[in-house]
Amino acid sequence: MSSRKVGTQRAFDAAAADFAALGRHLWEPIGAATVAAAGIAEGDRILDACCGTGASAIPAARAVGAGGVVDAIDLSGPMIGELRRLSAELPQLRAHEADATAWDTGDYDVVQSALGIFFFPDMTDGTERLIGRARSGGRAVFTIWRRGSMVTAGRHLGRAVAAVTDSAPPEREPGLIDRINEAGPYSEWLSGRRLSDVDVVVNELRLAMTPEIAWLVVIGSGFRGLLDDLEPGVVEQVRERYLDSLLAEGVTELDATTLIGSGTVR
């Protein structure tokens, strides 16, 4: 991400508490899998970029123990505030409101980012900057959505917003992430980023879409940006239309599968 507050960043600022509430269903399992792929050892120095409320930073801090350090950084002040609350008993976790692409401390044993690198204005440049913060021989681990993940929620939400506001369904401009969100292309892309011994793990996850969780997926994620500038009454109409749409199509679970790419820094 850049330091400029873009729409997605504003959405995450607003979603901090709900983001944490969604955590045990979605972010925490993904964060734990990311940390497992990193092979973190006690005493390691870790950089966790785009950390949110700590889904990967907190388990990383537990893994490094009192002798290690985790620098967790995110542009969202509310997210960092929530992380500081959640990690109060982990002094080895240092939470920073900062731009990951401008972070200048280096020589980390592990650099990791769970569901963050595709938010960078230039995904390739931003990822290479993070890799540059690791020591030679260190590890880099980056988790992204697999193709098709989370799409169902976004499609139904977009339809609901369009119907309630009498507007065209929102469309996202395609980018690099849409060309590399399968295991093979992602592995090739990472191999071109100063990484050797690249491995990509497909981390299957299905989220039960009860009405409560289905709405948390909206208000506790970047999808919340679609609700920007809507009055509370209109948001409630969107919620009802969205849940009715999921029910009508028999949607009972959401594909939340990720690709966890890891490699050794050359």
Side-chain angles (χ1 to χ4, degrees):
M1 296 184 202
S2 69
S3 57
R4 181 171 52 89
K5 294 274 183 170
V6 295
T8 300
Q9 181 60 42
R10 290 195 302 271
F12 280 119
D13 284 353
D18 295 315
F19 192 95
L22 181 61
R24 67 186 180 90
H25 304 288
L26 184 60
W27 312 126
E28 290 175 15
I30 293 171
T34 300
V35 170
I40 293 171
E42 190 169 347
D44 274 353
R45 297 179 66 252
I46 313 296
L47 175 63
D48 188 297
C50 310
C51 63
T53 58
S56 54
I58 288 174
R62 293 188 178 122
V64 302
V69 169
V70 175
D71 282 316
I73 58 179
D74 199 285
L75 272 177
S76 171
M79 290 282 187
I80 289 297
E82 189 70 13
L83 173 55
R84 286 173 179 154
R85 183 185 69 81
L86 294 171
S87 63
E89 297 181 358
L90 295 169
Q92 65 270 37
L93 195 161
R94 307 186 300 204
H96 312 269
E97 182 181 348
D99 183 346
T101 63
W103 189 256
D104 58 5
T105 303
D107 205 34
Y108 289 97
D109 298 296
V110 174
V111 171
Q112 62 183 27
S113 182
L115 304 176
I117 60 174
F118 44 77
F119 287 118
F120 294 146
D122 184 325
M123 183 175 169
T124 297
D125 179 71
T127 301
E128 290 178 346
R129 286 173 181 266
L130 290 184
I131 293 169
R133 304 279 68 79
R135 63 173 176 81
S136 178
R139 297 275 291 166
V141 184
F142 305 117
T143 299
I144 64 172
W145 296 116
R146 186 181 66 178
R147 183 169 300 169
S149 292
M150 306 297 283
V151 168
T152 299
R155 182 174 66 251
H156 284 268
L157 176 64
R159 289 175 183 170
V161 171
V164 170
T165 62
D166 192 25
S167 61
E171 293 186 8
R172 180 178 64 84
E173 288 290 329
L176 173 62
I177 185 61
D178 302 294
R179 301 194 298 273
I180 64 170
N181 55 4
E182 297 280 7
Y186 187 38
S187 178
E188 292 178 10
W189 182 77
L190 287 173
S191 295
R193 312 272 80 77
R194 284 184 57 215
L195 297 178
S196 61
D197 304 317
V198 169
D199 182 48
V200 174
V201 174
V202 178
N203 183 40
E204 297 278 354
L205 181 62
R206 295 290 187 276
L207 195 64
M209 289 286 270
T210 65
E212 177 189 14
I213 293 175
W215 188 238
L216 266 181
V217 166
V218 172
I219 62 174
S221 77
F223 286 137
R224 189 172 184 134
L226 294 180
L227 306 179
D228 279 355
D229 304 322
L230 300 182
E231 295 294 330
V234 176
V235 171
E236 177 58 22
Q237 292 178 52
V238 169
R239 186 187 72 84
E240 293 176 358
R241 190 76 173 239
Y242 164 72
L243 294 178
D244 286 347
S245 178
L246 292 172
L247 181 63
E249 288 198 11
V251 176
T252 59
E253 66 175 19
L254 180 66
D255 181 3
T257 299
T258 53
L259 302 176
I260 305 174
S262 60
T264 301
V265 179
R266 294 198 291 264

